[in-house]
């Protein structure tokens, strides 16, 4: 698949997820291609389980189903990169941190490669690979079962190893955020590791773009009030903002290369 085709299909996926349903004619206008080209893309994406094909259009897959890792890598890529950059600015040289599984946490790790003397514990092979060139970086990879489809290391051994450490920062991604602030994930195997990070980090950063507010995985990780700071690309729904404010969670809304601190933590 060429880069042009990948980018076009990423835009189709993003448009369909934002709208819920899109007609082939509308997608053709947005992408400035023929309806036949859109139809071929939609047929291929439906065959891969990325979208649901309908006569004359496509709809988003159920919000209770995850998207393939290769598609998550390119979905909202710019937003993930700016979220990662903003969070990386808060990490000082010499810090210790946990980083979990996810394409947004991988974008964050990429932004840490200029830092010095970091001590990183991760259950994500891609994160370890991205940080290997970082100056004086001390990398610890959790043991467990390697999930080849996305480079995650999962299972009881991974969570148990994380429990052996205490770090300055825990940086986590998430698959969905419910209206009441519950943090959700698709894979129960990932949850124990994420919960161990939350328990054992002095400061917890949650990195998630706006699409996570529309997804409803079934497995519960925790609650957004348990984190220290939330980095996202657009202001969250009012109900979530209210929860963050009440809990004293710092909200960073990233807009391109700029970001703002929307709420501050309550005084200790």
């Amino acid at each position: 698949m060429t880069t042009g085709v990948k980018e076009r299909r990423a835009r189709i996926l993003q448009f369909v997820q934002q709208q819920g349903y899109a007609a082939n004619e509308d997608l053709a206008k947005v992408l400035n291609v023929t309806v036949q080209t859109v139809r071929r893309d939609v047929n291929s994406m439906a065959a891969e389980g990325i979208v649901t094909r309908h006569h004359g259009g496509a709809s988003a897959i159920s919000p209770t189903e995850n998207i393939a890792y290769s598609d998550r890598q390119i979905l909202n890529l710019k937003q993930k990169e700016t979220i990662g950059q903003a969070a990386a600015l808060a990490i000082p040289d010499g810090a210790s941190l946990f980083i979990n599984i996810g394409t947004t946490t991988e974008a964050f790790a990429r932004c840490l490669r200029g830092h010095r003397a970091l001590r990183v514990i991760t259950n994500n092979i891609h994160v370890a690979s991205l940080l290997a060139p970082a100056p004086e970086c001390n990398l610890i990879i959790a043991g467990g079962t390697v999930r080849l489809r996305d480079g995650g290391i999962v299972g009881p051994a991974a969570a148990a190893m994380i429990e052996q450490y205490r770090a300055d920062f825990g940086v986590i991604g998430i698959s969905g955020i419910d209206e009441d602030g519950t943090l959700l994930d698709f894979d129960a195997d990932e949850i124990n590791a994420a919960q161990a990070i939350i328990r054992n980090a002095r400061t917890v950063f949650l990195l998630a773009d706006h699409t996570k507010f529309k997804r409803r995985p079934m497995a519960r990780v925790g609650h957004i009030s348990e984190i220290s700071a939330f980095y996202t690309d657009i202001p969250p729904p009012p109900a979530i903002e209210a929860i963050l404010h009440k809990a004293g969670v710092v909200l960073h809304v990233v807009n391109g290369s700029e970001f703002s601190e929307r709420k501050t933590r309550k005084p200790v």
Side-chain angles (χ1 to χ4, degrees):
M1 189 189 302
T2 66
T3 301
V5 174
K6 286 183 179 179
E7 291 176 351
R8 189 173 66 241
R9 292 183 182 179
R11 290 183 65 191
I12 290 173
L13 177 61
Q14 184 171 5
F15 190 84
V16 168
Q17 287 189 325
Q18 290 172 344
Q19 302 297 322
Y21 171 85
N24 290 339
E25 289 82 2
D26 293 337
L27 289 168
K29 290 177 183 177
V30 169
L31 298 169
N32 195 27
V33 297
T34 65
V35 174
Q36 290 77 12
T37 297
V38 168
R39 189 177 295 118
R40 284 196 298 270
D41 285 338
V42 167
N43 287 342
S44 296
M45 294 169 72
E48 295 173 18
I50 300 169
V51 299
T52 300
R53 181 174 61 84
H54 300 277
H55 179 69
S59 66
I61 61 171
S62 166
T64 61
E65 298 175 28
N66 204 356
I67 302 169
Y69 175 75
S70 58
D71 296 299
R72 283 185 279 129
Q73 280 185 301
I74 56 177
L75 180 62
N76 296 325
L77 179 59
K78 286 186 177 180
Q79 291 91 331
K80 292 174 182 177
E81 287 176 344
T82 53
I83 288 169
Q85 288 167 2
L89 287 173
I91 305 296
D93 287 345
S96 59
L97 59 160
F98 300 110
I99 305 175
N100 82 336
I101 302 167
T103 53
T104 310
T105 53
E106 288 169 19
F108 164 77
R110 195 175 294 111
C111 297
L112 291 177
R113 288 187 290 191
H115 285 58
R116 302 191 68 84
L118 295 179
R119 292 158 291 158
V120 177
I121 304 103
T122 184
N123 63 327
N124 185 333
I125 284 179
H126 298 307
V127 164
S129 213
L130 287 164
L131 286 174
E136 307 167 22
C137 185
N138 186 329
L139 280 168
I140 299 171
I141 301 177
T145 302
V146 178
R147 198 166 55 194
L148 297 179
R149 69 175 185 265
D150 63 2
I153 303 172
V154 296
M161 187 168 178
I162 289 170
E163 291 281 10
Q164 296 176 26
Y165 294 89
R166 181 81 169 154
D168 299 324
F169 298 92
V171 182
I172 63 171
I174 204 71
S175 294
I177 304 173
D178 212 342
E179 295 173 355
D180 65 355
T182 301
L183 304 179
L184 302 165
D185 221 312
F186 290 101
D187 197 327
D189 283 338
E190 296 183 30
I191 290 175
N192 289 339
Q195 290 173 337
I197 288 173
I198 292 171
R199 283 192 297 269
N200 292 287
R202 297 180 182 90
T203 300
V204 180
F205 289 174
L206 173 65
L207 315 184
D209 65 73
H210 68 278
T211 62
K212 304 305 165 55
F213 293 107
K214 301 177 182 178
R215 306 177 76 190
R216 296 293 181 269
M218 294 181 63
R220 186 182 186 280
V221 177
H223 195 267
I224 201 165
S225 61
E226 299 175 68
I227 66 171
S228 310
F230 177 34
Y231 289 80
T232 189
D233 57 326
I234 66 173
I240 297 295
E241 282 220 40
I243 293 168
L244 296 173
H245 179 65
K246 184 177 180 180
V249 177
V250 182
L251 171 61
H252 296 286
V253 178
V254 178
N255 182 10
S257 60
E258 302 293 329
F259 68 94
S260 61
E261 184 178 293
R262 295 288 299 272
K263 302 290 180 185
T264 56
R265 290 184 63 80
K266 295 175 182 177
V268 177

